[in-house]
Amino acid sequence: KIEAKEKLETQERTVQVDEKAPAKKAVTLRNEGLKHHQKGELDEAIRNYREAIRMNPDFATAYNDLGIALEEKGFLENAETQYLNALALDPSYTHALYNLALLYTKMERRKDAIQTLEEFLKKKVDKKRSDVARAKLETLLKEEKEEADRLAREEEARRLEEEVKRREEEEAKKREEALASLRGEVEQ
């Protein structure tokens, strides 16, 4: 799957250790988490990512990686929180934005996915990811239009049913009035 491959490539993003950064240990922990993650040891990876974040709460990459691992474990709402945390720290972090868009698609939150993909496509990203994002966006927009058309047809059908019902009630009322009038004439 392209999505899984894209996420794996996101995980492979290397983090350079800034010698001046007080959270040098956080980078080591994140990299250890990445090794566990690549081996499929998600619980251990999650522990490492969380510890890296505890050591350096401004470590956007660790939040993104934690989001990926949580998503893989099925904790979609928690994954969303981690992607949003990464973006709050670094709004230009396109990997987190892309992962968030894919997550919204998985969660069937079409409007959020569309908005996030549109935001992603405004950023400078590599052609491969932008092509995939553009294709996903086109699919989602098509689905959105089809859904809107379906809802419009259903609404029109409801309106017509109500109109038919109203007319039938009017006709029934006219028949009753005519019968009552005839009964009145017969009784006289």
Side-chain angles (χ1 to χ4, degrees), residues 20-21 56 80 95 126:
K20 299 176 188 173
N56 179 5
E80 175 188 16
H95 289 288
D126 60 271

Side-chain angles (χ1 to χ4, degrees), residues 6-181:
E6 293 297 328
K7 290 199 176 203
L8 182 59
E9 288 174 5
T10 299
Q11 290 179 26
E12 292 173 352
R13 175 180 173 189
T14 57
V15 177
Q16 301 300 318
V17 178
D18 180 353
E19 297 301 330
K20 299 176 188 173
K24 189 174 174 182
K25 174 83 172 139
V27 173
T28 302
L29 285 164
R30 181 269 175 177
N31 291 338
E32 285 299 312
L34 185 58
K35 288 176 188 174
H36 288 292
H37 199 150
Q38 290 170 334
K39 292 179 189 175
E41 301 166 351
L42 295 178
D43 291 333
E44 191 60 35
I46 289 169
R47 275 191 286 283
N48 283 115
Y49 297 146
R50 284 190 169 138
E51 184 63 17
I53 291 166
R54 190 185 70 70
M55 299 289 289
N56 179 5
D58 296 329
F59 197 179
T61 303
Y63 284 103
N64 182 62
D65 293 340
L66 178 57
I68 294 168
L70 291 168
E71 182 177 347
E72 288 176 14
K73 287 203 50 117
F75 300 115
L76 305 184
E77 290 81 13
N78 292 341
E80 175 188 16
T81 299
Q82 300 314 316
Y83 295 143
L84 291 171
N85 286 339
L87 290 166
L89 291 168
D90 183 359
S92 68
Y93 191 6
T94 58
H95 289 288
L97 192 60
Y98 185 76
N99 290 339
L100 183 62
L102 296 181
L103 176 68
Y104 285 148
T105 301
K106 184 185 286 186
M107 295 171 81
E108 298 181 4
R109 290 174 49 185
R110 192 180 304 133
K111 289 189 187 312
D112 291 328
I114 288 169
Q115 179 182 356
T116 307
L117 284 167
E118 287 173 340
E119 186 178 340
F120 173 79
L121 288 168
K122 290 177 188 173
K123 310 238 183 230
K124 286 190 174 187
V125 294
D126 60 271
K127 181 174 175 8
K128 181 180 176 185
R129 283 191 307 145
S130 66
D131 287 348
V132 171
R134 196 168 287 103
K136 282 198 164 303
L137 180 60
E138 287 173 10
T139 299
L140 290 169
L141 290 171
K142 180 181 175 189
E143 289 172 359
E144 189 78 3
K145 183 181 181 329
E146 289 170 356
E147 178 74 6
D149 291 347
R150 183 187 63 78
L151 291 173
R153 285 190 306 272
E154 287 176 3
E155 181 59 33
E156 180 64 13
R158 269 193 298 278
R159 189 191 67 71
L160 289 173
E161 285 176 15
E162 289 173 5
E163 180 64 22
V164 167
K165 184 179 177 181
R166 185 187 62 74
R167 286 182 181 178
E168 287 173 348
E169 288 171 354
E170 285 177 3
E171 290 297 318
K173 185 177 178 182
K174 286 179 185 178
R175 281 191 302 273
E176 286 179 32
E177 289 173 354
L179 283 173
S181 175

